[in-house]
Amino acid sequence: MKSLHSYRLLNVNDRRYSKSIQISMVACSVSLRGSLSNSLLHHFPSNITRRSSCKYFHGNVGKFKSARSCSTAIWDALDESPVVQNEGNGKGIDFLYLMEERGIRANVQTYLWLFEGCLNSGSLFDAKKLHAKIFKSGFDWEHVLGSRLIDIYLAHDEIDNAIKVFDDIPSPSVSLWKEVISRLLSKKLAGQVLTLFSRLITENVTPNESTFASVLRACSGGKASFQFIEQIHGMIIHHGFSSSPLVCNPLIDLYSKNGHADRAKLVFESLFLRDSISWVAMISGFSQNGREDEAILLFCQMHKSAVVPTPYVFSSVLSACTKIESFKLGEQLHGFIVKWGLSSETFVCNALMTLYSRWGNLIAAEQIFSKMHHRDRISYNSLISGLAQCGFSDRALQLFEEMQLDCMKPDSVTVASLLSACASVGAGHKGKQLHSYVIKMGMSSDLIIEGSLLDLYVKCYDIETAREFFLTTETENVVLWNVMLVAYGQLGNLSESYRIFLQMQTEGLMPNQYTYPSILRTCTSLGALDLGEQIHTQVIKTGFQFNVYVCSVLIDMYAKLGELDNARGILKRLREEDVVSWTAMIAGYTQHDFFTEALKLFQEMEDQGIRSDNIGFSSAISACAGIQALNQGQQIHAQSYVSGYSEDLSIGNALVSLYARCGRVQDAYLAFEKIDAKDNISWNALISGFAQSGHCEEALQVFSQMNQAGVEANLFTFGSAVSATANMANIKQGKQIHAMMIKNGYDSEIEASNVLITLYSKCGSIEDAGREFFEMPEKSVVSWNAMITGYSQHGYGSEAVSLFEDMKRLGLRPNHVTFVGVLSACSHVGLVNEGLSYFNSMSKEHGLVPKPEHYVCVVDLLGRAGLLHRAREFIEEMPIEPDAMIWRTLLSACTVRKNIEIGEFAARHLLELEPEDSATYVLLSNIYAVSGKWDYRDRTRQMMKERGVRKEPGRSWIEVKNSIHAFFVGDRLHPLAERIYDYLDDLNKRAAEIGYVKERYNLLNDVEQGEKDPTAYIHSEKLAITFGLLSLSNTMPVRVIKNLRVCNDCHNWIKFVSKISNRAIVVRDAYRFHHFEGGVCSCKDYW
């Protein structure tokens, strides 16, 4: 009766609607998913409520009576309207309640459509109501229903509810496991995927290919341990999927991302059929693991296999070419890309732009950019970064504006690149404008941008702004603290840098692998070894002692500061093969003149399969230059060429130094001309190399060319040029360079003063050397050594010893060079006991192991004093094997003292070591001559002739009016020879008048002296001095250089000439300086 009553309540419109329902029922029974059923409920008012709908359908129940057998299908059809209209699922749930009131039980399809409606409308509330309804009604879960409900919960990030639904499904099928895992993976819920997979294994469900593939992709998020990945790999093999591309492709990718390229390669090689994804995974895997060469070779193999390359393949190979700077090959790949019609692919274009930008070919990069149909952020970032790296900040900023006009909001990478561009060219003003933009766009808290902004202010030397900005940032960002450490390090402010280092730890931040290098580099540049050692201790305490990056900086610090044993110890303890650490050690050995050790280490590095970088090659070539190992240097240069460093500037400079120091003048010039972008180091290599190899005139010519070319000379340049003038004893040009140093502001530098002390000492002006030394506000050990050595060379032994004692009183630590100077000083003035005492103090008081040069000094000390037997005993008791220099020193002393016995003893040893050295034969011959043993003298000379040994002729030089004049014994080739000999006769007569008596030439017998013209025996120094007296102003001292030891007669003659001419005469022979003035020599006749 109730239903009939309800029927009467229907108005005319309601009847029209009920009629349309009756017409539609037949169609619903035929096709539940047909278009008619989908449109059926479109006729109902959209504002119908649950209550009104119940009232409405109660009144129409009679109309459904005839279709009772398909009632569920009809109700299902009614439930489709919310799905179509997406206006919420409330009406569908109302219909569900109405179905229950009429005794109609909903089936799986009904709930499925209702869930679809919830999923499409986004109604989590309705979905939960349906879930509760199903749960209360005791409805059996179907897999398809559970899967749809899981989709709804995952769509609303209701992970726990999704898993609970899955747990309620009895005996879920493999496909359902796979589907749920796949859905979780699509939501990037890697942790839940791995948990669910573990359950799957525990419940003995056999995973299929898709499941394994999903789980492996989940592992790539870093959620799984490597051991877990290996276990999955084992299961893959166990279930027979080891050759399935679907499974193996993500496995290759996973191994590669975890740094196990070799395992990835094994998986790749196990594939019988490789698709394009397999090749991409392996190629990119090699590239990611620093095995770019293998990536390129694999691409070649792929090409030969006729596999059609995809854009992803080209992107990976181009990335590999960029990393190893194989730009030519990348250019060839560009041709392939055009051929295959992939030149419009966005990510391929991005990779090409990165390649060309790194190459410096920005024209090609811009052309690619301009032709791109679709540009993304990476496109702009690639080009902006390339422009920034090449210093084109204006164009980079212009591109930034174009990016904004392209309706593309710049991200932190773009802005960071722009800030880097400004920082690289010191464009602080533009950088500040970008800072304003960053604040406006709300990006100021981005960690990358914070670091870039701080780096900008630091590189623009705006330390105050950098400090202010640093104080406004989040102090938890360790990167910013590291940048501030670098900032104060650049300013040389070690105290502030160390204060920041301590403060960051006080605030609870632990130093990382970049913090330690930041402050250690400051310690290195300022020579703060003590502080560096303290920080090294902290490195060990905090567990960074095996970090490759930290260790490489520690090795560099110890090596540069001379603690080579400590540096080598760190290198030996390294657990990884790091080329930077090895090359830092090689460079350290080279820097401190341990050239043989440097080359041994270079060879050891190669033997271990470590490929050298440009620093290693340049250091090794420099080491070859240090020991004049020309052939080995050329071989290493060839290696560097093959390794792709043919145009490297540092290697080019090292090669110039090699040829110059080996005296290969033309080769040095040729290597120099091959350098396109010559810098100060290139010019310095040529100048210093020529100066060190004795080509001093060439060195000074290059120095002049450098000035004419407008290249700014630095302190090292001036030092090399001054050394060249010192070696030539060219005091005039030396003083000119000194004036240039003052003009350029280098006169206050300690290194400048050191080289000037050496200049004036070698040019015979010991007074100027002393003035330079005593006016220095600060002195290094090198300064003291230079002055002590200068005093020693000039025969001022007492002054040298006194200076050495002052040095010790000031707490300065003498080194090996210091003791060479002190021992030589004692030798030149006959301080035998003092010299021996100083020699013994080397090891006992100063911890220095005497070197061969120190033993030479002691032998010279004893020999000059006439203690030849004691000198022989000293040599025989030496802990090291005597070298040629030691025996030559003893032989020279025997010649002066006419001791044939010990002289022959020394000569025998010397001839065994150096049978082709002319000095040995000459000295031995002279011993026999001065002793009157003419037969022995003749046999010695005959032996010398038979062996093809030629005596070095005596030669003297003097500079007059900017020209160097050279003289030989009995020389008559000079244009003024007649005037020189006439004036020499006059000098001889005047000298004889005041007591000079010419010594009989005792190297020739009576017959030989009677047969030859007496002028043929006039020594070169007499001719040079005579010419100087004729040509130089009376106020100028006469400065002469001789390549051999001055003889007794010449020494005596010069004393008399200095008196009669009233001139100062300075003679530098092979052993020392002689200052003659007023008939007295500074050596006091002891030389």
Side-chain angles (χ1 to χ4, degrees):
M1 290 296 294
K2 184 177 180 181
S3 61
L4 290 173
H5 177 69
S6 299
Y7 179 76
R8 292 190 188 99
L9 292 176
L10 291 173
N11 56 27
V12 177
N13 291 332
D14 293 332
R15 290 171 186 168
R16 185 177 69 248
Y17 292 134
S18 67
K19 184 177 181 180
S20 65
I21 292 173
Q22 293 178 53
I23 294 170
S24 302
M25 283 183 182
V26 177
C28 290
S29 64
V30 176
S31 177
L32 295 179
R33 297 179 182 270
S35 60
L36 182 60
S37 65
N38 285 334
S39 62
L40 176 62
L41 291 185
H42 289 186
H43 300 288
F44 285 94
S46 60
N47 61 348
I48 188 168
T49 63
R50 180 188 171 203
R51 185 169 179 175
S52 62
S53 65
C54 290
K55 178 180 178 182
Y56 178 88
F57 282 105
H58 285 171
N60 285 279
V61 70
K63 303 292 182 179
F64 291 97
K65 200 169 183 180
S66 62
R68 194 79 183 210
S69 62
C70 58
S71 58
T72 302
I74 296 170
W75 285 100
D76 290 342
L78 294 177
D79 247 354
E80 282 196 50
S81 64
V83 177
V84 177
Q85 285 195 299
N86 254 350
E87 294 178 357
N89 206 42
K91 289 183 288 184
I93 296 174
D94 289 339
F95 297 158
L96 182 64
Y97 282 119
L98 185 58
M99 288 174 66
E100 290 177 351
E101 289 179 6
R102 306 310 306 156
I104 302 170
R105 179 178 174 82
N107 62 13
V108 172
Q109 191 64 53
T110 308
Y111 284 114
L112 181 62
W113 284 344
L114 289 171
F115 280 142
E116 284 178 351
C118 294
L119 187 62
N120 292 334
S121 66
S123 176
L124 178 63
F125 177 75
D126 289 344
K128 285 186 175 182
K129 286 171 64 178
L130 281 172
H131 187 183
K133 184 68 178 171
I134 293 171
F135 182 76
K136 289 180 180 178
S137 64
F139 190 86
D140 290 335
W141 275 114
E142 292 285 343
H143 290 176
V144 67
L145 280 181
S147 176
R148 189 50 51 90
L149 185 55
I150 289 168
D151 284 345
I152 294 170
Y153 281 132
L154 290 177
H156 292 85
D157 294 326
E158 295 271 342
I159 311 302
D160 292 338
N161 283 334
I163 299 299
K164 286 178 182 176
V165 171
F166 181 77
D167 291 342
D168 289 339
I169 299 174
S171 302
S173 64
V174 175
S175 60
L176 184 59
W177 282 93
K178 185 267 294 182
E179 189 173 353
V180 173
I181 287 173
S182 178
R183 300 277 170 77
L184 289 171
L185 182 63
S186 67
K187 298 292 291 183
K188 299 181 180 179
L189 301 171
Q192 284 80 356
V193 169
L194 299 180
T195 302
L196 204 59
F197 179 74
S198 297
R199 277 184 52 196
L200 179 148
I201 300 301
T202 304
E203 295 180 18
N204 294 320
V205 178
T206 302
N208 57 19
E209 287 178 291
S210 299
T211 306
F212 276 122
S214 296
V215 170
L216 289 170
R217 290 189 177 92
C219 291
S220 65
K223 296 286 185 180
S225 66
F226 187 72
Q227 185 180 4
F228 183 73
I229 296 168
E230 286 183 313
Q231 290 174 353
I232 294 175
H233 190 182
M235 294 171 64
I236 289 168
I237 296 170
H238 176 72
H239 287 90
F241 298 131
S242 59
S243 60
S244 166
L246 181 65
V247 177
C248 290
N249 291 346
L251 185 59
I252 293 168
D253 183 63
L254 190 58
Y255 274 135
S256 298
K257 286 180 178 177
N258 282 274
H260 296 275
D262 287 328
R263 297 195 180 196
K265 185 180 178 182
L266 289 173
V267 176
F268 176 78
E269 290 173 346
S270 69
L271 285 172
F272 298 118
L273 295 173
R274 299 163 186 159
D275 56 20
S276 60
I277 299 173
S278 312
W279 290 95
V280 170
M282 195 63 252
I283 291 170
S284 64
F286 278 140
S287 181
Q288 290 167 6
N289 286 276
R291 295 164 67 167
E292 292 82 8
D293 290 335
E294 292 180 72
I296 294 168
L297 288 172
L298 192 62
F299 170 77
C300 296
Q301 183 183 339
M302 173 186 170
H303 183 63
K304 289 179 182 178
S305 301
V307 178
V308 178
T310 65
Y312 297 102
V313 171
F314 280 118
S315 179
S316 297
V317 180
L318 286 169
S319 175
C321 292
T322 303
K323 288 178 182 177
I324 61 172
E325 299 182 354
S326 184
F327 300 122
K328 289 287 185 183
L329 180 59
E331 192 176 36
Q332 293 173 11
L333 284 170
H334 191 178
F336 274 108
I337 290 166
V338 173
K339 179 182 176 181
W340 284 96
L342 300 174
S343 58
S344 61
E345 293 287 343
T346 301
F347 44 88
V348 174
C349 290
N350 292 343
L352 280 169
M353 280 194 294
T354 302
L355 173 87
Y356 285 119
S357 296
R358 294 278 179 87
W359 194 1
N361 189 351
L362 293 174
I363 295 174
E366 291 234 37
Q367 285 177 346
I368 293 168
F369 181 81
S370 63
K371 292 178 182 178
M372 288 179 71
H373 300 305
H374 303 286
R375 299 171 187 146
D376 56 13
R377 286 181 179 179
I378 298 174
S379 310
Y380 279 97
N381 289 338
S382 298
L383 190 53
I384 289 172
S385 297
L387 290 164
Q389 289 169 4
C390 295
F392 296 100
S393 59
D394 290 336
R395 175 61 184 133
L397 291 167
Q398 181 186 347
L399 200 62
F400 170 63
E401 294 175 1
E402 291 178 17
M403 182 179 186
Q404 292 174 287
L405 292 174
D406 210 2
C407 299
M408 207 167 289
K409 183 182 177 182
D411 59 8
S412 58
V413 176
T414 309
V415 177
S417 297
L418 289 164
L419 289 168
S420 174
C422 295
S424 64
V425 296
H429 178 68
K430 292 178 181 178
K432 286 183 178 180
Q433 290 178 343
L434 279 170
H435 193 173
S436 300
Y437 172 81
V438 164
I439 295 170
K440 180 181 177 182
M441 299 302 294
M443 302 167 71
S444 56
S445 60
D446 184 275
L447 295 181
I448 297 175
I449 291 178
E450 277 187 343
S452 298
L453 279 168
L454 191 60
D455 184 61
L456 165 78
Y457 293 126
V458 167
K459 286 183 177 175
C460 291
Y461 296 99
D462 190 352
I463 195 66
E464 286 303 317
T465 304
R467 185 173 178 277
E468 290 172 8
F469 176 71
F470 173 70
L471 295 174
T472 64
T473 60
E474 293 292 334
T475 55
E476 289 79 10
N477 188 352
V478 180
V479 175
L480 302 183
W481 290 87
N482 293 345
V483 174
M484 288 305 294
L485 286 173
V486 173
Y488 284 107
Q490 288 176 347
L491 295 173
N493 192 339
L494 182 59
S495 59
E496 185 63 22
S497 187
Y498 187 56
R499 188 190 67 78
I500 290 174
F501 178 71
L502 295 176
Q503 185 182 344
M504 69 178 288
Q505 295 174 74
T506 303
E507 296 192 15
L509 274 78
M510 290 300 296
N512 61 16
Q513 61 177 335
Y514 303 106
T515 309
Y516 289 117
S518 298
I519 191 166
L520 284 170
R521 286 195 182 95
T522 307
C523 295
T524 303
S525 61
L526 298 177
L529 180 61
D530 291 342
L531 181 57
E533 288 175 331
Q534 291 178 31
I535 294 168
H536 185 187
T537 303
Q538 187 171 342
V539 165
I540 297 170
K541 288 180 179 178
T542 52
F544 285 96
Q545 70 271 28
F546 298 115
N547 181 276
V548 173
Y549 184 43
V550 176
C551 286
S552 66
V553 179
L554 279 168
I555 291 169
D556 183 64
M557 179 189 75
Y558 283 123
K560 284 181 177 175
L561 299 182
E563 296 292 328
L564 296 171
D565 290 339
N566 287 338
R568 189 64 189 271
I570 296 171
L571 181 66
K572 287 181 178 178
R573 289 191 293 272
L574 263 183
R575 296 174 178 175
E576 299 180 40
E577 295 178 347
D578 176 52
V579 66
V580 177
S581 301
W582 281 82
T583 54
M585 190 70 244
I586 293 167
Y589 277 135
T590 303
Q591 177 188 341
H592 293 282
D593 297 343
F594 289 93
F595 303 121
T596 304
E597 289 80 357
L599 292 172
K600 284 180 180 178
L601 191 63
F602 180 80
Q603 185 62 51
E604 185 181 339
M605 179 179 74
E606 287 198 319
D607 292 342
Q608 292 193 19
I610 302 172
R611 291 173 55 186
S612 179
D613 58 10
N614 59 331
I615 303 299
F617 283 123
S618 62
S619 298
I621 293 172
S622 297
C624 292
I627 56 174
Q628 285 79 53
L630 180 61
N631 291 336
Q632 189 175 0
Q634 289 174 324
Q635 290 173 9
I636 295 172
H637 178 229
Q639 286 180 258
S640 71
Y641 194 94
V642 172
S643 298
Y645 295 111
S646 59
E647 298 181 3
D648 184 82
L649 180 59
S650 63
I651 293 175
N653 291 339
L655 192 64
V656 170
S657 179
L658 172 69
Y659 285 127
R661 292 184 72 173
C662 291
R664 300 285 288 269
V665 176
Q666 293 306 316
D667 289 331
Y669 277 127
L670 185 62
F672 179 75
E673 290 303 323
K674 284 183 178 179
I675 299 174
D676 294 326
K678 300 177 182 67
D679 57 5
N680 279 352
I681 300 173
S682 311
W683 290 90
N684 291 343
L686 208 55
I687 296 168
S688 65
F690 284 149
Q692 292 176 58
S693 63
H695 294 82
C696 298
E697 291 183 14
E698 293 285 349
L700 294 174
Q701 285 178 12
V702 175
F703 176 71
S704 178
Q705 292 170 10
M706 181 179 179
N707 290 326
Q708 292 171 6
V711 180
E712 185 178 353
N714 56 21
L715 183 58
F716 186 82
T717 315
F718 286 119
S720 300
V722 169
S723 296
T725 59
N727 292 337
M728 296 171 63
N730 190 339
I731 192 169
K732 183 177 179 180
Q733 195 165 358
K735 286 186 174 181
Q736 291 174 354
I737 297 172
H738 187 180
M740 293 175 66
M741 294 171 73
I742 295 171
K743 182 180 177 181
N744 285 274
Y746 289 115
D747 56 311
S748 59
E749 297 284 345
I750 294 176
E751 292 82 1
S753 295
N754 294 344
V755 76
L756 287 169
I757 293 168
T758 302
L759 164 71
Y760 291 122
S761 296
K762 285 189 174 183
C763 290
S765 184
I766 194 65
E767 296 80 8
D768 287 332
R771 189 179 304 110
E772 187 69 33
F773 175 78
F774 290 110
E775 288 179 359
M776 290 177 68
E778 292 184 24
K779 303 176 182 69
S780 65
V781 173
V782 177
S783 313
W784 291 86
N785 291 347
M787 197 65 236
I788 291 170
T789 302
Y791 277 142
S792 172
Q793 290 173 341
H794 286 267
Y796 297 136
S798 301
E799 289 82 351
V801 170
S802 176
L803 204 61
F804 176 64
E805 294 297 334
D806 291 343
M807 179 183 178
K808 290 197 295 182
R809 276 194 294 272
L810 290 173
L812 290 168
R813 183 181 175 185
N815 57 23
H816 288 91
V817 177
T818 316
F819 279 100
V820 170
V822 173
L823 293 172
S824 296
C826 293
S827 174
H828 289 151
V829 294
L831 299 175
V832 177
N833 293 331
E834 291 85 345
L836 292 173
S837 175
Y838 286 135
F839 176 79
N840 292 327
S841 72
M842 283 185 68
S843 55
K844 293 180 179 178
E845 297 179 17
H846 303 286
L848 297 172
V849 178
K851 295 184 176 182
E853 53 265 34
H854 300 105
Y855 289 102
V856 170
C857 289
V858 174
V859 173
D860 186 55
L861 173 72
L862 296 171
R864 284 176 187 268
L867 304 174
L868 298 177
H869 288 282
R870 191 171 174 185
R872 176 176 176 174
E873 290 173 0
F874 177 81
I875 293 172
E876 291 172 341
E877 293 172 359
M878 280 169 48
I880 64 172
E881 193 69 25
D883 61 10
M885 192 62 193
I886 290 174
W887 293 117
R888 190 177 295 112
T889 302
L890 180 61
L891 178 58
S892 179
C894 290
T895 303
V896 175
R897 299 293 175 176
K898 303 178 183 179
N899 190 317
I900 296 177
E901 179 192 351
I902 298 178
E904 289 179 333
F905 171 76
R908 281 196 300 272
H909 286 87
L910 195 52
L911 287 171
E912 288 177 5
L913 294 172
E914 294 182 353
E916 296 181 359
D917 181 51
S918 63
T920 307
Y921 299 95
V922 172
L923 289 171
L924 186 59
S925 170
N926 290 348
I927 291 178
Y928 292 136
V930 296
S931 303
K933 293 183 177 292
W934 304 110
D935 290 342
Y936 288 96
R937 183 206 67 171
D938 294 340
R939 280 202 293 268
T940 304
R941 289 183 176 181
Q942 183 61 32
M943 186 191 340
M944 184 178 179
K945 185 177 180 180
E946 290 172 356
R947 294 182 179 181
V949 180
R950 297 184 63 183
K951 174 184 178 296
E952 181 185 7
R955 193 178 183 187
S956 296
W957 296 265
I958 184 172
E959 182 183 359
V960 174
K961 297 178 182 178
N962 298 325
S963 296
I964 304 295
H965 298 260
F967 295 89
F968 294 93
V969 61
D971 195 346
R972 288 187 175 273
L973 298 176
H974 196 278
L976 299 177
E978 285 203 19
R979 283 188 61 193
I980 293 170
Y981 277 98
D982 288 344
Y983 190 52
L984 178 61
D985 285 340
D986 182 59
L987 289 174
N988 286 336
K989 290 174 184 178
R990 291 164 60 190
E993 289 174 0
I994 61 171
Y996 167 67
V997 177
K998 178 178 171 58
E999 286 190 18
R1000 187 171 178 271
Y1001 194 63
N1002 53 17
L1003 298 184
L1004 299 175
N1005 57 36
D1006 294 336
V1007 176
E1008 290 169 338
Q1009 293 195 44
E1011 289 176 349
K1012 293 193 176 183
D1013 181 4
T1015 61
Y1017 308 117
I1018 298 174
H1019 285 184
S1020 59
E1021 58 264 47
K1022 286 186 178 181
L1023 297 173
I1025 290 169
T1026 303
F1027 174 67
L1029 293 171
L1030 275 172
S1031 308
L1032 295 171
S1033 167
N1034 291 334
T1035 59
M1036 292 183 65
V1038 178
R1039 301 179 187 276
V1040 173
I1041 301 174
K1042 183 170 183 181
N1043 63 335
L1044 303 176
R1045 181 180 183 273
V1046 65
C1047 71
N1048 291 337
D1049 176 63
C1050 290
H1051 188 271
N1052 196 32
W1053 178 83
I1054 300 170
K1055 285 196 300 182
F1056 280 99
V1057 169
S1058 70
K1059 185 173 182 178
I1060 61 176
S1061 63
N1062 197 28
R1063 300 282 290 275
I1065 302 173
V1066 180
V1067 178
R1068 186 179 107 183
D1069 69 4
Y1071 293 91
R1072 58 175 294 163
F1073 278 92
H1074 298 266
H1075 293 259
F1076 299 93
E1077 194 166 7
V1080 179
C1081 180
S1082 59
C1083 72
K1084 299 175 184 177
D1085 299 336
Y1086 185 89
W1087 82 102

